[in-house]
Amino acid sequence: MKFTTFVTSKEDILACAAAPNLEEVLIEPTQLSREGRLSLEEAESLAKEAAQHGLKPTLVWDILMTETEFATRSKLVAGMNLELFTAIRTQDPGAAVWVRENAPGTPLQLVVENSNHNMPALLRWVAELRPQRLVLSTQLPEDKLIACCQQLDTECEVLGAGKILLFYSKRHLLQANFGNDEDANDSHWIYADSSSEESASRPFPTIENEHGTFMYLNKDHFILDSLARLDAAGMHTIRIDLRDPQVDGHAAQGIDTVCAMTVSNDPGLDTVWTRPTSAPFFKRNKTDKQFARMKPQTRLLRDAKCVAEVVSVERGELLGLFTLREFDTDGASYKFVAHDGSELPAELESFSDITGNPLTRCSAHQVVRCSWIKGVKAGAILVRDEPV
Amino acid sequence: MMKPELLAPAGSLEKLKVAVLYGADAVFFSGQKYSLRARADNFTLDEIAEGVAFAKRRGVKTYITLNAFLHDEDLEGLGEFCQFLDAQGVTGVIVSDLGVIDVIQKSSKLNVHLSTQASCLNSASASFWKSQGVERIVLGREVSIREALEIKAKCGLEMEMFTHGAMCMAYSGNCVISNYTAGRDSNRGGCIQSCRFQYQQASPDKGCSSESFFMSSKDMSGLEHIPEFCDAGIDSLKIEGRMKSLFYVASLCRAYRKAIDIYTAGEDYAAALPELQAEVNSIPHRDYFGASFSKPAGMLSVFQDRQGTIRSGTHQFTGVVLEKSDRFAAVRLYAPMTQDQRIEIVPFRGEPIPVQATQVYDLTGNRLASPRQDCVVCIPLDEQLAQVEALNIVRAARV
């Protein structure tokens, strides 16, 4: 298992060169990368520096781009000396296609972190774009990550430690509160902590730059102390992200220590990582478990057995039903099912239409009057009570 | 001139029928699984069959949303569901996830449209999706009309753009705040709308703090841009809002139906615009803005008010006509009526019919002075109300 990390300076390169199992560095030009702080020239210069220290430099082009931006940014990439880079990392499928068509000799690292969570999708990304590597989601639990390593015919990477991106918008959302005239330029960078009324004790680091606004979880993802199974399964690369969005400077200081302690399973590793940490989905992802409770209990009963909905209750006198399909008013057994799923037997009689004509059979989409039943409320449904 | 399709949301079977009857060319809705609106009523299999048949009889297309980003275990049953949809004759499915596309293509012949949730923003990306068998792109809401035209010209796919409704502040599919703060997967239908919360912000380097709704977007309205959409040859104009009311669906279908028809008929669109805007202002909404239709959404696109202060609209949703007999219109009330309130019954075509509700009866035949909500009232029909039909919306001007 290898490590990768972001670099912004020669000092970072030196730290990476000293780090065990770290053979690759991620270089982010401002104009191409979400959190880039380097000019294109600086990026190229840093790539040369990395190569001189035996490190493989990967160009990070991970912004999303509308058509106009895509035309501009792809021209910039075309103008770069791509031979300096051993791979290009993209998220936008358009950028991936561009790399495939215009830099066929440069391996593609495809970021599929944003909600690519099933094997058919991942297999197809690999089959169609033939990436050197897939950068997998932190929402995939360990067992799924292991399955990816075993089933995908490409290198797999996952974040081992670092910021979790929660929100990526094209709009500039901090300028209104924190900007000034200088912040209108392309290289501006605004930082703020944002705490919502629902999470007052959790300030989410938020940045705005030329690419839009990015919000991060208040805790770093951290699984560096739990890599054994992933390593055994063949996880190719673990990304360690030491970038501090508040600081424009080095991005990999201390990477040698973190890598060394990870490799040696040093129990003191979590004390070296000073920011609060979490890995909420590494063991299990249960982010769909609440869904069943979010629906009215009657929803799934609206099938062929559901014949009407209660639309009016005249207490002590009658119920108004709106029929959903034809049904006989006698000879069948019915029950009412309320929003909360509770049931009441429906001993209905005295059916009539809205003008008072008696009914023995109700048509579909008709308002029907029938006898009042205590406890039945508007919104309840009338269901044929057939044995299961 | 090519008329763009008017595509309306149908969060329930009743909303589907209302959308169709008020002029939608196509409707989008979902089953109980695989979609992004876990809290919407959505459709049972029987309701899907009924909804598709209802739409087909009127020449209206049906698209089923399968636009959640699924985990492996969520894929269970998807193939069978696609076969069911295929058998019903749905026009297409709206999908975000390449794995879902894979299952669809292996189990059915359904047309695949790429959901806006996949944030397809440029022609190279569109070309990739075309190579995957996608026939239409629902573009990311960051794309301008001019860019959409370019993308269409370069990739040759049908282009669909959202033209009205609430919108994500993030690139769609690129917000997971709910996942990490509430344990609900926003990309599987569990979004808690964290972007609508108020945030306390502090900037250490700027030395200041602020309270604001900085992530809450105004609602988009493309009414002013209908000529540009039509001239650009955008294939489908979509109204957001499967969770919204019957009133919302009816009012927007009416407004956008008229807008498209007026412009493509070569009539004076500028002259018609105030009346069309009045229609979209009749429903509850956040402040409207022109999204990124002509220029990127800027700082003025943020809706700084609480959700509770959403503009209430010029009209109140009073009810819906459930049935018309030879003597009465039976109206289900969603809001109480006041004594002698002046209401309007909104026909599928034509001007709203004013009704002075002096004679309103409950189902027992008793005359009501001030009917409560959540009941059915009967309004006697007269000559003026002869054109009232079932599923007409009833509204009242707010005082």
Side-chain angles (χ1 to χ4, degrees), chain A residues 28-150:
Chain A
E28 301 177 292
T30 306
Q31 292 169 291
L32 303 176
S33 316
R34 297 170 189 171
E35 291 185 57
R37 303 240 200 188
L38 301 168
S39 67
L40 297 176
E41 295 74 22
E42 288 170 333
E44 288 179 337
S45 171
L46 206 56
K48 284 182 199 164
E49 187 81 19
Q52 285 166 10
H53 286 84
L55 297 166
K56 297 175 183 170
T58 290
L59 175 65
V60 179
W61 180 16
D62 63 355
I63 53 170
L64 299 173
M65 294 157 283
T66 61
E67 184 69 8
T68 309
E69 289 175 304
F70 181 72
T72 310
R73 310 292 166 170
S74 55
K75 268 186 199 155
L76 293 176
V77 179
M80 293 182 76
N81 182 2
L82 295 180
E83 289 181 357
L84 295 173
F85 297 93
T86 54
I88 301 177
R89 175 170 294 210
T90 70
Q91 178 190 343
D92 192 319
V97 167
W98 188 94
V99 172
R100 273 279 150 266
E101 292 176 353
N102 297 280
T106 308
L108 172 69
Q109 296 182 355
L110 186 65
V111 178
V112 289
E113 282 181 307
N114 59 318
S115 299
N116 283 278
H117 293 145
N118 61 74
M119 194 59 74
L122 296 170
L123 285 166
R124 192 144 161 181
W125 283 115
V126 173
E128 299 297 332
L129 289 171
R130 304 178 312 285
Q132 174 196 57
R133 187 182 304 167
L134 282 187
V135 180
L136 300 170
S137 167
T138 51
Q139 291 180 59
L140 286 173
E142 184 180 30
D143 288 343
K144 294 286 180 189
L145 291 169
I146 288 170
C148 290
C149 297
Q150 293 167 340

